Amino acid sequence: MNIGFIGLGLMGRPMALHLAEAGHTLHLWARRPASLQPFSDSGAHAHLSAAEVARHAEIIFTMVADAPDVAAVTLGDDGITAGAQPGLIVVDMSTIAPAAARDIAARLERARIEFLDAPVSGGEIGAINATLTIMVGGRADVFDKVKPLFDKLGKSATLIGGCGAGQVAKACNQILTGVGVAAVAEAFNFARKSGVDPARVREALLGGFAYSKILENHGQRMLDRNFQPGFKAWMHQKDMRIVMEEAHRLGLALPSAAATAQMFNAMVGSGLGDDDSIAMLKLLESMSGQQA
Amino acid sequence: MNIGFIGLGLMGRPMALHLAEAGHTLHLWARRPASLQPFSDSGAHAHLSAAEVARHAEIIFTMVADAPDVAAVTLGDDGITAGAQPGLIVVDMSTIAPAAARDIAARLERARIEFLDAPVSGGEIGAINATLTIMVGGRADVFDKVKPLFDKLGKSATLIGGCGAGQVAKACNQILTGVGVAAVAEAFNFARKSGVDPARVREALLGGFAYSKILENHGQRMLDRNFQPGFKAWMHQKDMRIVMEEAHRLGLALPSAAATAQMFNAMVGSGLGDDDSIAMLKLLESMSGQQA
């Protein structure tokens, strides 16, 4: 199949390579030519614009930073709409606001282009190992067409609902993981400041209702003081901004998510933005007179 | 062994019965005689005061509501200290502030009474099924003596550290479970208000880093709208008060726990105190124009 892929960063590059390895012909466009380098032996075609990619592809994946990038690549000058063939499917795997996804979907529909929002969780490791969790919004018949390709990228792809539902599920994921990191960091700092070994607390709590993947995995990395990303704090900050803007739009109070969003703001302000999100522990320590 | 048990409520009653079933002789005192009724066939001895219990027991368990109750039963008029034999061990399984536990331990030590703080998680079901998680603070040699009895009450008993460390671990447990409930309730309400089925979101997220026992177990009960306790909201409110008072004492910021503590306050204020803590979903719905 002729597949377009636009957005060849930390996440997009390994994802596109999985599709090439599965025997598909890739059509690529990248702002920086260096991004195309890893594809030199893959039989991929480089193009001069997203429109040019659209002239050659049946399905185009996008994996970019935020909603304005998705809009530019799809609807902008020399964007996908400028070159799309009838029946083209655009699958946006970026994390953007649900409202933005619905808006882009509606504008693509007027150009007779099908759209799925399909954000992922699992991070760079998940992209490399093809173990991403893919949360999809859109029409079931379109989802069914793309499903075999999703299966090359992740361990599970779930159709959550209509347009934007994938982004809603991703927002829920970012609430649960962000607040989860905050709760574990607060508990560990509480234990340590109380003179109690957080490692023993974690061990005792893993067997009960306090168990979470965050306590097990991220908690161990906090104890190891391994703050290498993983998932950078500034990216989680961005995702919490999407959550809080959507909450504002909907008239919805999210108290624990709001407190956590503020903590991510403080992490970025404290120079911890490029650390993993678990460096929230360092922020809490710096706020309570405990330096690492 | 002659074992004292004081505090025969929802939690204490099944716990004491497990010890009787294991062949131990129970010595009981209760404010309300009706509390002794379930023990009529157990060979247990009823006494007129905690001091009287102390005259007959080698180890006394207490399972009461809060720190003032523990202090009254141990140090008050006709309390345990008034009747204690040399070598007596007091094991308090109530959830109280770490500072209060340390204070009571110090005062009992002056009366040559050993003390363990040993709060539990797992709720009434865990007490009935002897599957409690027991978090213990105190001396290792005292813990070793009591360990065979803990094993009759729960699936794991962990010595976390010195005096008060059990209560610190319990406070951490209540942070993680309380904030966990808030995060899941916020995510589900966010999904529903966005027009997306929370059940499908939960299903998609269970396979990734958002996985927690709270999402699996409590999340399913939220979807079933089964708000029967379980663990009552007013009890979690009390435990979050302990957490926040301790944070104040230590000069420690707990942003996500603080937001959650406020939500438990609002639950009690909204008449949801006797519901399970997962009724936080109902509170959030009432705050966003969505009635059940």
Side-chain angles (χ1 to χ4, degrees):
Chain A
M1 194 183 284
N2 284 292
I3 296 177
F5 210 109
I6 295 171
L8 300 169
L10 287 180
M11 297 292 292
R13 183 173 52 236
M15 293 166 73
L17 284 168
H18 289 312
L19 296 174
E21 284 157 16
H24 298 289
T25 302
L26 292 185
H27 296 270
L28 308 174
W29 170 72
R31 246 172 291 187
R32 292 175 302 122
S35 303
L36 300 171
Q37 173 60 32
F39 295 88
S40 53
D41 299 329
S42 71
H45 301 274
H47 296 281
L48 292 172
S49 67
E52 211 44 51
V53 170
R55 280 187 193 101
H56 294 85
E58 301 160 59
I59 298 180
I60 303 177
F61 292 90
T62 55
M63 188 57 162
V64 296
D66 206 346
D69 308 288
V70 181
V73 161
T74 51
L75 304 158
D77 292 344
D78 274 335
I80 288 170
T81 46
Q85 306 296 303
L88 175 66
I89 299 172
V90 171
V91 182
D92 178 39
M93 305 192 77
S94 323
T95 295
I96 67 174
R102 287 189 206 102
D103 179 54
I104 290 166
R107 290 158 75 183
L108 288 177
E109 193 181 10
R110 286 198 286 274
R112 315 230 168 196
I113 299 171
E114 303 292 348
F115 181 81
L116 297 177
D117 53 297
V120 304
S121 77
E124 191 184 348
I125 301 285
I128 291 169
N129 296 337
T131 55
L132 295 169
T133 298
I134 306 172
M135 296 152 273
V136 187
R139 277 195 0 230
D141 60 318
V142 181
F143 174 76
D144 290 341
K145 282 185 201 163
V146 183
K147 182 72 165 55
L149 301 175
F150 285 146
D151 292 340
K152 301 294 176 197
L153 303 176
K155 63 180 174 182
S156 81
T158 309
L159 183 66
I160 307 288
C163 254
Q167 296 295 351
V168 170
K170 177 67 188 279
C172 290
N173 188 75
Q174 297 311 82
I175 292 172
L176 294 179
T177 55
V179 175
V181 165
V184 171
E186 289 178 22
F188 282 10
N189 197 42
F190 180 95
R192 190 168 161 221
K193 185 100 178 180
S194 301
V196 173
D197 181 0
R200 294 198 63 79
V201 171
R202 173 178 167 278
E203 201 59 38
L205 268 45
L206 280 178
F209 274 125
Y211 176 86
S212 66
K213 287 271 183 217
I214 299 283
L215 178 62
E216 184 177 21
N217 178 299
H218 298 55
Q220 185 59 52
R221 287 191 286 131
M222 287 184 204
L223 295 174
D224 296 340
R225 303 197 76 76
N226 172 10
F227 299 109
Q228 295 297 314
F231 186 63
K232 291 185 178 184
W234 74 259
M235 297 181 74
H236 216 139
Q237 184 206 22
K238 180 212 104 183
D239 293 349
M240 295 309 284
R241 171 178 59 71
I242 291 173
V243 167
M244 298 319 299
E245 284 177 359
E246 196 72 5
H248 181 273
R249 207 179 60 78
L250 292 169
L252 199 64
L254 302 174
S256 77
T260 301
Q262 294 300 311
M263 296 294 284
F264 281 116
N265 287 353
M267 286 180 75
V268 171
S270 306
L272 298 169
D274 282 321
D275 278 359
D276 190 271
S277 62
I278 64 164
M280 189 170 297
L281 180 64
K282 288 208 275 190
L283 176 70
L284 289 165
E285 287 169 351
S286 74
M287 290 165 69
S288 61
Q290 301 194 88
Q291 296 302 335
Chain B
M1 190 184 287
N2 285 291
I3 295 177
F5 210 109
I6 295 171
L8 301 168
L10 287 180
M11 296 291 293
R13 182 173 55 236
M15 294 166 72
L17 284 169
H18 289 311
L19 296 174
E21 283 158 16
H24 297 290
T25 302
L26 291 186
H27 296 269
L28 308 174
W29 171 73
R31 249 174 286 185
R32 291 174 304 123
S35 303
L36 301 171
Q37 172 60 32
F39 296 88
S40 53
D41 299 329
S42 71
H45 301 274
H47 296 280
L48 293 172
S49 68
E52 211 44 52
V53 169
R55 282 187 191 99
H56 294 85
E58 302 160 59
I59 298 180
I60 303 176
F61 292 89
T62 55
M63 189 58 162
V64 295
D66 207 347
D69 309 288
V70 181
V73 161
T74 52
L75 303 157
D77 292 343
D78 275 335
I80 287 170
T81 46
Q85 306 295 302
L88 175 66
I89 298 172
V90 171
V91 183
D92 178 40
M93 304 190 80
S94 322
T95 295
I96 67 174
R102 287 188 205 102
D103 179 55
I104 290 166
R107 291 158 74 184
L108 289 176
E109 192 181 10
R110 287 198 287 276
R112 313 233 169 196
I113 299 171
E114 304 292 348
F115 181 82
L116 297 177
D117 53 296
V120 304
S121 76
E124 191 184 349
I125 301 285
I128 290 168
N129 297 337
T131 55
L132 295 168
T133 297
I134 307 172
M135 296 153 272
V136 188
R139 274 189 8 223
D141 60 318
V142 181
F143 174 76
D144 291 342
K145 282 184 198 162
V146 182
K147 182 68 164 58
L149 300 174
F150 285 145
D151 291 340
K152 301 295 177 198
L153 303 176
K155 63 179 173 181
S156 82
T158 308
L159 183 65
I160 308 286
C163 255
Q167 296 296 349
V168 169
K170 177 68 189 276
C172 290
N173 188 74
Q174 298 311 80
I175 292 172
L176 293 179
T177 55
V179 175
V181 165
V184 171
E186 289 178 22
F188 281 11
N189 197 41
F190 179 96
R192 192 168 159 222
K193 185 101 179 178
S194 301
V196 173
D197 181 0
R200 294 200 62 81
V201 171
R202 172 179 167 278
E203 201 58 38
L205 268 45
L206 280 177
F209 274 125
Y211 176 87
S212 66
K213 287 270 185 220
I214 299 284
L215 179 63
E216 185 177 21
N217 178 300
H218 298 54
Q220 186 58 54
R221 286 191 286 129
M222 287 184 204
L223 295 174
D224 297 339
R225 304 197 75 78
N226 172 11
F227 299 110
Q228 295 297 314
F231 186 63
K232 291 186 178 182
W234 72 260
M235 298 182 74
H236 217 141
Q237 185 206 22
K238 181 212 101 180
D239 293 350
M240 295 309 283
R241 171 178 58 71
I242 290 173
V243 167
M244 298 319 298
E245 284 178 359
E246 196 72 5
H248 182 273
R249 208 179 61 77
L250 293 168
L252 199 65
L254 302 174
S256 77
T260 301
Q262 294 301 310
M263 295 295 283
F264 281 117
N265 287 353
M267 287 180 75
V268 171
S270 306
L272 298 169
D274 282 321
D275 278 0
D276 191 271
S277 62
I278 64 163
M280 188 167 300
L281 179 65
K282 287 208 275 189
L283 177 69
L284 289 165
E285 287 169 351
S286 73
M287 291 164 70
S288 60
Q290 301 194 87
Q291 297 300 335

